[in-house]
Amino acid sequence: MAGDVIPTKNFVADAANFIVDLAHKALAERHEFRIALSGGNTPRPVYSEIARIGRDLPWERILITFGDERCVPPDDAQSNFRMARETLFVPASVPEKSIMRMCGEIDPQIAAQQYQDDVDLLATQRGEQIYRHDLILLGIGDDGHTASLFPESAALNETTRRVVANFVSKLNAWRLTFTFPLINHARQVCFLVDATKNAELIERVLEGDHQLPAARVNPPAGELTWILGE
């Protein structure tokens, strides 16, 4: 399961370079770059660095989705969209049509269905059964969750739907999230992880302990990379 593990003391620079290099490669090969962003604090400085070094990227040919979202309005401090807007979209002048936001402020079931419909439409326009991301960025929580796929939550067992509303009992809250069928369909999945926080947990995930949702990320026809900040 482990994939390609890259330990680094220059986490922000290495992660940003990895993403920008992959963008250039996808744009050269397929004339577009499809990336799903993750939330939380770990990718925040990475997005700022991408905005700085990626100024020459043709953002109008880059499609940005979100792997998950909190059920809050887009200007809420908890919003993954807000974090990405502040660190990346505004500084890099990313055009609005390149960004697909999850609507955290509406009924979670409706928001999930809308997002799945949008992603499915992109796939249909490209002659694909399931939309294929060039890169999905993920993080890992201290309970082993990734995106908003939490231990013991219903979304872990989803085999067909690509985006769902997932109730997380320990937070007593709904989340919107990609499912394993969509994540594992990607060309490349990359975990951005602060390895100083929970080395034992990361070890368990890398060893493939399926009790931890992050360990179930394994794209059969794609690549898996871990960038571990040390």
Side-chain angles (χ1 to χ4, degrees), residues 7-140:
T8 172
K9 299 247 185 297
N10 303 312
F11 176 76
V12 171
D14 286 352
N17 284 320
F18 175 86
I19 294 162
V20 170
D21 289 349
L22 204 61
H24 284 300
K25 189 167 160 262
L27 286 156
E29 287 174 12
R30 291 179 294 277
H31 310 293
E32 67 175 1
F33 177 55
R34 315 168 181 190
I35 180 173
L37 301 182
S38 60
N41 288 317
T42 306
R44 186 185 288 267
V46 177
Y47 297 164
S48 298
E49 182 66 3
I50 292 169
R52 193 182 72 79
I53 66 172
R55 296 213 181 276
D56 62 333
L57 283 169
W59 288 102
E60 70 286 350
R61 289 200 279 127
I62 295 176
L63 263 168
I64 302 169
T65 53
F66 285 83
D68 73 320
E69 185 56 278
R70 283 86 180 257
C71 291
V72 295
D75 54 358
D76 190 284
Q78 289 291 303
S79 166
N80 290 342
F81 170 79
R82 176 179 167 168
M83 187 273 277
R85 185 182 62 203
E86 289 173 353
T87 53
L88 179 58
F89 304 159
V90 172
S93 304
V94 179
E96 214 156 280
K97 69 173 185 62
S98 292
I99 304 161
M100 274 175 59
R101 177 175 82 79
M102 286 182 165
C103 294
E105 70 277 19
I106 65 173
D107 176 279
Q109 308 294 341
I110 294 170
Q113 187 62 54
Q114 274 185 5
Y115 208 76
Q116 175 168 286
D117 290 346
D118 290 345
V119 168
D120 286 352
L121 179 61
L122 291 175
T124 304
Q125 289 166 343
R126 289 156 178 77
E128 299 169 354
Q129 295 267 230
I130 297 181
Y131 182 65
R132 190 158 198 213
H133 286 88
D134 293 307
L135 176 62
I136 295 179
L137 296 175
L138 293 173
I140 182 169

Side-chain angles (χ1 to χ4, degrees), residues 180-197:
F180 290 123
L182 184 58
I183 292 170
N184 285 330
H185 194 63
R187 287 192 171 89
Q188 170 83 250
V189 178
C190 180
F191 279 93
L192 300 177
V193 181
D194 175 354
T196 58
K197 281 202 305 200

